[in-house]
Amino acid sequence: PAPEPAPVVELKPDYPDRYVVRKGDTLWDIAARFLKDPWMWPQVWHINPEIRNPHLIYPGDVISLHYAGDKPYLALEGAPGEAAPKGIRTVKLKPGARVLPLDAAIDAIPRSALAPFLYRPGIVTKEELDKAPYIISSQEGHLISGPGNTVYATRFGDQSLTVYNVIRVGQEYRDPRTGEFLGYQAVKVADANVTRWGDPVTLILSNSRIEVLDGDYLLPTEKSTLEFSFFPYPPRKPISGDIIAAFNALTQIGQYTVVAIDRGAREGLKQGHILAIYQKGEKVRDPRGEYSTKLIQLPSERAGLLMVFKVYDKVSYALVMEATRPIHIHDEVRTP
């Protein structure tokens, strides 16, 4: 089959000719100032080969808009400085020069919004729970334990790990379209460190968020694989699903809310994928059908964008990057 034509990059009507990067900006924020679809940033970003680490952008850098024929492109203003040590770049900007460490570069997405979700288990299956170790008692025999308390657990197979998350089974996730069971939300309760192997195993609790109960499960601590220097991109194939849960959102879902969607690695989702959010249209009665009970389904309307940052087999966690209208659980997500 013939290759699909490259998507057309559209500038926003009120785009600036140049922008000075500020502390706290993200690459997504800056792209959204220039582009109608911020994820198209890589298609318009001009790399200056004379600048060390040209993909990194720092507070104080100046980004300007240029044209090559009728195609817009964005570039970093400035000229190369003298050779810099490894891990440091020098960018000469008016009125002077400066040397910046790599960790001062801005992130592509807001790190603070994702941090609580990167190192804790998110989704757990029935099969995983059937094999997971669990707490059977505390040293004092209390039903409730907290930081500094010693607890005992059983059903350990692997003795190579000594650090665990104490988790409690939370919300059950199902596909709202088919009813398929997708997994359980794993609610982190505390951290636990093995102090003595045996049967039962002895552990000490720390960083308790709520009380630890007998019967709570123990799962290995997940390692974060998210790089904050990457830029989001759309899936290459059509994907359609629904928002099935939201976190720290009392009523409506807004920008930088973390949500769960009912699609995962099984459907081809990957970390960094962008999906459009569509608010489902209501069913309304025909105003001219006085005696009719027929309802008319109104079309879905685009309500925002989200970025997938943590992928499981059947469920993914995503961050709402844009919200142009109220977003709700069961709103549809699809390839933009």
Side-chain angles (χ1 to χ4, degrees), residues 23-304:
K23 185 177 181 180
D25 279 343
T26 65
L27 195 53
W28 181 274
D29 296 332
I30 297 171
R33 290 179 178 272
F34 290 92
L35 306 178
K36 182 178 178 182
D37 296 313
W39 70 82
M40 290 189 177
W41 174 273
Q43 297 186 40
V44 297
W45 180 239
H46 172 72
I47 295 176
N48 184 345
E50 297 180 326
I51 294 179
R52 182 184 294 270
N53 296 314
H55 292 287
L56 301 182
I57 299 175
Y58 296 82
D61 281 351
V62 180
I63 297 171
S64 55
L65 177 67
H66 305 270
Y67 282 88
D70 60 348
K71 294 183 178 180
Y73 71 91
L74 296 165
L76 192 67
E77 290 185 6
E82 298 178 358
K86 185 178 181 181
I88 301 291
R89 77 167 188 175
T90 300
V91 180
K92 188 175 181 181
L93 295 173
K94 297 178 180 180
R98 58 202 171 91
V99 178
L100 293 170
L102 292 182
D103 59 6
I106 65 170
D107 291 326
I109 53 177
R111 186 185 301 253
S112 60
L114 303 187
F117 294 86
L118 296 182
Y119 303 99
R120 65 180 66 173
I123 306 297
V124 63
T125 65
K126 292 177 180 177
E127 292 74 19
E128 289 172 323
L129 292 177
D130 288 342
K131 299 177 182 178
Y134 59 92
I135 294 172
I136 56 174
S137 184
S138 69
Q139 189 177 54
E140 295 78 15
H142 299 154
L143 295 177
I144 297 175
S145 303
N149 289 160
T150 296
V151 296
Y152 304 106
T154 189
R155 203 161 64 184
F156 282 83
D158 183 5
Q159 294 191 6
S160 64
L161 302 175
T162 59
V163 180
Y164 288 84
N165 289 137
V166 182
I167 70 105
R168 190 168 301 153
V169 175
Q171 180 180 351
E172 179 183 271
Y173 292 143
R174 289 188 177 273
D175 186 325
R177 304 183 190 186
T178 66
E180 178 190 7
F181 172 76
L182 305 174
Y184 295 108
Q185 178 193 4
V187 180
K188 183 173 179 179
V189 177
D191 295 322
N193 290 74
V194 174
T195 59
R196 183 174 59 215
W197 289 106
D199 191 16
V201 173
T202 305
L203 306 98
I204 189 167
L205 301 176
S206 62
N207 300 323
S208 176
R209 290 164 174 78
I210 54 177
E211 295 86 356
V212 175
L213 305 177
D214 292 350
D216 283 343
Y217 293 95
L218 295 162
L219 294 180
T221 300
E222 290 188 2
K223 293 183 179 179
S224 171
T225 58
L226 181 60
E227 295 291 337
F228 285 89
S229 59
F230 79 98
F231 200 75
Y233 62 103
R236 293 186 176 181
K237 67 177 185 178
I239 292 177
S240 176
D242 296 282
I243 295 174
I244 55 175
F247 304 92
N248 301 325
L250 297 178
T251 53
Q252 296 177 348
I253 300 168
Q255 187 182 38
Y256 300 150
T257 298
V258 172
V259 299
I261 62 175
D262 59 352
R263 296 294 182 265
R266 182 179 65 173
E267 288 77 27
L269 275 182
K270 295 181 179 180
Q271 192 178 80
H273 272 166
I274 284 287
L275 296 173
I277 305 169
Y278 284 83
Q279 188 182 75
K280 290 187 176 179
E282 298 179 357
K283 290 184 178 181
V284 298
R285 191 179 302 277
D286 185 345
R288 293 190 177 274
E290 184 176 353
Y291 302 104
S292 173
T293 58
K294 180 182 178 181
L295 296 178
I296 300 174
Q297 177 72 56
L298 299 182
S300 298
E301 297 290 348
R302 183 157 158 173

Side-chain angles (χ1 to χ4, degrees), residues 312-333:
Y312 298 88
D313 184 40
K314 302 176 184 178
V315 177
S316 297
Y317 282 168
L319 182 69
V320 176
M321 303 299 295
E322 290 182 4
T324 55
R325 61 177 64 213
I327 298 170
H328 305 87
I329 292 175
H330 295 155
D331 278 351
E332 183 185 1
V333 297

